[in-house]
Amino acid sequence: MAAHNATHAASAASRHTGSDTEGARDREIRVEQRHLNRVYRRLEEKIHEAEYLMNDAVKGGQVGTPGALAERDAQVFRAGVHLNRLNSEFEDFLFGRIDLLLGKDGKRGPDGAHTSVEPADDAERIDDSGGAHADIAETLHIGRLGVLDAEYSPLVIDWRAPAAAPFYRATPVAPGRVVRRRVIRSKGRKVLGVEDDLLRPELTASLDGEPLSVVGDGALMAALGRARGHTMRDIVSSIQAEQDLVIRAPANSVTLVEGGPGTGKTAVALHRAAYLLYQDRRRYAGGILIVSPTPLLVAYTEGVLPSLGEEGQVAIRAIGSLAEAAEVAQRGGQQGDSGALVYDEPAVARVKGSVRMARVLRKAARGALTLPGPAPVAHADEGGDSGQLAFDELVGDEAYTGDSRGGTRAGNGVPDRLRVVAFGARVELDGQKLRQIRQSVLSGTAPVNLMRPRARRLLLDALWSASGGPRRYQDPELAAEAREAFDEDITTESEFTDFLAAWWPELTPRRVLAAMADERRLARWAGGAGGRGRVLTQREVRLMARSLRRLDAAGHGPLSVHDVALIDELHMLLGTPARPRKREADPLDQLTGLDELTTYADRTSSRSSRAERLERLRDEVRTDYAHVIVDEAQDLTPMQWRMVGRRGRQATWTVVGDPAQSSWSDPDEAAAARDEALGTRPRRRFQLTVNYRNPAEIAALASKVLALAMPGTSPPTAVRSTGLEPRFVVAGNDPGAVLRAEVRRLLAEVDGTVGVVVAMGRRTEARAWLAELTGPVAFGGGVGMGAGAGAGTREAAGAAAGVRSGGSGRQGGAAGTGEPRSRVVVLGSLEAKGLEYDATLVVSPAEIADESPAGLRVLYVALTRATHRLTVLSGERDEPDSAGVPDLLRD
Ligand SMILES: Nc1ncnc2c1ncn2[C@@H]1O[C@H](COP(=O)(O)OP(=O)(O)OP(=O)(O)O)[C@@H](O)[C@H]1O
């Protein structure tokens, strides 16, 4: 390659940023418009082809053999899918273009583009004065789907194809063949704008004999400056090189991605899912699971994959709705299918999330066999200690001491004696014998509900012995016959079947969890083997038992986010029969080859509505995903890692997170659980370093908290600056009035959303303070710590998610109307995870920091949510200085 000569940089390609910008821009827009018109003409041809195929197939299948009919169905289906896809208009179907030098070899890939990454040796010419010149040898347009023209030349390259990689990867330091990278903004069939990056400024490049034109300031800034919508947008047109490396990383292992706030981890995770499906659709037909921390973040992000043409095989689930839907959803309650929305207070969350719970649950799953039959529903008082459950006075295994109060039932209502009549004689097993049998069965390792057949067999053996049967029949054959008749005699008697149902009941995870609301019982289950080594302290037992009193005896009632992992663990220990998985065969897999214009979304969207598909995903018990993506991985507790791990035993993984934002108090314990979930698979690590969300002014303030929370950790570099410093205000005697005034101020300053982030325990109060603001305010999903599920409705989650876009909201919708109703969101600090707002108002940093052992890291999250403006409101506890700057945020 010829050496680059910096002295020619100024005279290189013609950059239009001055007064001639508009003319040049219009000219370039016209050029791209012509190309887009060609693309749409080609798409229309494909639509006609598809329609023709469809009609032809329908006609051709009127008569014929079953084989011909099947062929017709396949053809009709395929054509329908085409039509469906082609008819769906993208906001920006075509979004990129790269102009390339001649490649090293002349080889072309399947999409018709040259494959060589490096330029040919003679791609550049050096003139007498040492200046480098080159002709553009190849121009590629990048879009959401690949389109070939009638001669099989590429009109549009799919963004995930190898040929599109240079669009994302090329930098001025390592440009490869790329001379100019262009981002094209279009809506439907109309090109609205172009932004260029020149990657070889030292080169004088020409295209078709004309100097290469360069318009605008570059793709990224254009993308970041654009108004944001109500939900997360894809970043397909401005993926940066370090992000692209993650998106396209090979998936045969574990991809671990770390990066500070706003570095695009969530965006990258979503694009990676789309990329993996494109790369190997057959392999990922097994499904991709994306685990998200909150329903709010799910609602915010779930539109990204459909915008990339993918959704059918990707399930985005909040960690609180990951367990089997039937277990999590409460009947007749507020939760519906949003999963758990209740947050436990930090001390309780710490107990429930700890890996020690696995030992407690193992004991509970066995011990719960001696719970009485379903107790009458008794709703506990949510608020305090007064909630007593119907089975509060009951005791567990210790009841079996041969004391047979009440005939055949122990004081706890569980039978402690079995009396049956066989062959006309009464046969009986006493409490001690029954205990022996139970212990013998429980010495096995099978799930408790699946041990019942063995328990039944041992009971029959014991009854046979007690009846004297073995002594009466010397001849083995006669003995076997008599035993068979004996068993049949007994097992058809209701005494026996009723006994078995009560003595070895089928347990549900909810019921066992609810049983832990009894402090004495829980203390026993948490007692450690042989009374040695208590698993939970007395205080932990008390806290946990109290938190479970929101469930009735059968386990109905709202689950907390942390309860869900316990339910899932119990599900495994009990072996509640799983509903069969309704796995869909991909009908196109059987056809030859996949057309460049189809995706799985095509194939499914013609068959069922999106809602139905989501419903189906929710109903499935999936333990065999092909790839698992964990977002905000730093927040998973050890028990949650166990739950997620069970869903990806055979999977490859992508794990994205930021230790500095972890709300979990014991990162070492969580890391050990994570390692166990990921097993011995090799790891590939990536670091994202650029903050695309926060302006430098806000990032600088947040980095002060980072220095306290994680000394020695470098914050990511903010990519832009607004000149707007964070504002500090002291609440004084009337915090409500000050808060309202500050919110009004922010509403006037930004066009879009305002997120008010408060300590979890302050949410109800903050909501009341803001209720006086004109119009109601949307509140974050979730409910008060340990309180009822008042605000945890789907509507609240939806409303909050709907306005939480973090963009300026100028794109229209309620955010653009100036109505406070849908522009202000009140969130607890834990609910703010992953979200972003145009402006954020953080109320009392000290209160947020003091709320849990991980409080400083939670505060770091709160301070990094704003895309434009940040206000910090301090109370006395914050010890603000004369400028209102709280102690925690001073230098
Ligand atoms: N390459 C990019 N081009 C345009 N916008 C981008 C790019 N990368 C990230 N962004 C934007 O930056 C914002 C932050 O991205 P994202 O939420 O994925 O970051 P994150 O690392 O998950 O943050 P956090 O850790 O705070 O949750 C989003 O608005 C996203 O669209």
Side-chain angles (χ1 to χ4, degrees), residues 69 184 224 227 305 467 509 533 581 664 701:
L69 289 174
I184 301 165
L224 293 178
L305 280 159
S467 75
R581 194 188 140 198
W664 177 243
L701 184 74

Side-chain angles (χ1 to χ4, degrees), residues 137-158:
E138 185 176 26
T139 292
L140 297 178
H141 281 87
I142 320 291
R144 289 165 191 279
L145 291 172
V147 185
L148 299 176
D149 71 11
E151 275 76 49
Y152 293 96
S153 294
L155 277 177
V156 183
I157 302 277
D158 189 300

Side-chain angles (χ1 to χ4, degrees), residues 253-256 674-676 678-685:
S253 60
V254 177
T255 305
L256 287 176
R674 182 193 74 178
D675 288 345
E676 203 174 315
L678 300 180
T680 53
R681 298 168 182 88
R683 321 259 161 110
R684 191 173 277 131
R685 290 173 193 276

Side-chain angles (χ1 to χ4, degrees), residues 799-818:
V803 299
R804 61 138 322 276
S805 71
S808 66
R810 284 184 293 267
Q811 280 186 327
T817 65

Side-chain angles (χ1 to χ4, degrees), residues 695-706 725-728 860 863-864 870-872 885-886 888-890:
E697 296 78 2
I698 293 175
L701 184 74
S703 69
K704 292 181 185 165
V705 174
L706 177 65
E725 291 296 334
R727 179 176 154 81
F728 298 97
Y860 182 53
L863 291 170
T864 50
L870 171 66
T871 299
V872 178
V885 182
L888 277 172
L889 302 181
R890 286 201 285 272

Side-chain angles (χ1 to χ4, degrees), residues 220 223-224 228 232-233 235 238-240 243 260-267 300 632 661 692-693 834 836 865:
L220 179 63
L224 293 178
R228 291 156 197 230
M232 191 176 201
R233 275 199 327 240
I235 57 166
S238 57
I239 293 169
Q240 298 298 291
Q243 298 174 326
T263 52
K265 297 182 296 299
T266 300
Y300 178 55
E632 307 283 356
Q661 295 183 63
Y692 300 99
R693 177 189 300 129
E836 62 187 21
R865 300 303 100 198

Side-chain angles (χ1 to χ4, degrees), residues 297-363:
L297 195 57
V298 171
Y300 178 55
T301 54
E302 68 185 355
V304 170
L305 280 159
S307 83
L308 298 174
E310 301 290 354
E311 65 177 321
Q313 283 153 313
V314 184
I316 307 187
R317 305 280 290 271
I319 191 84
S321 51
L322 205 55
E324 188 187 358
E327 299 296 349
V328 174
Q330 62 158 5
R331 270 147 280 173
Q334 307 95 319
Q335 276 179 238
D337 52 9
S338 292
L341 292 163
V342 178
Y343 283 91
D344 288 303
E345 56 185 270
V348 175
R350 248 193 349 270
V351 186
K352 291 183 178 174
S354 165
V355 75
R356 291 175 294 151
M357 279 311 298
R359 284 160 67 194
V360 177
L361 295 175
R362 244 193 320 272
K363 274 190 126 181

Side-chain angles (χ1 to χ4, degrees), residues 8 23 27 36 66 208-209 220 286 314 430 474 518 541 556 597 648 655 659 844:
H8 287 262
R27 213 168 38 245
L36 191 61
D208 300 330
L220 179 63
V314 184
D430 64 13
Q474 304 303 324
D518 180 292
V541 165
H556 298 150
L597 287 167
V655 176
S844 187

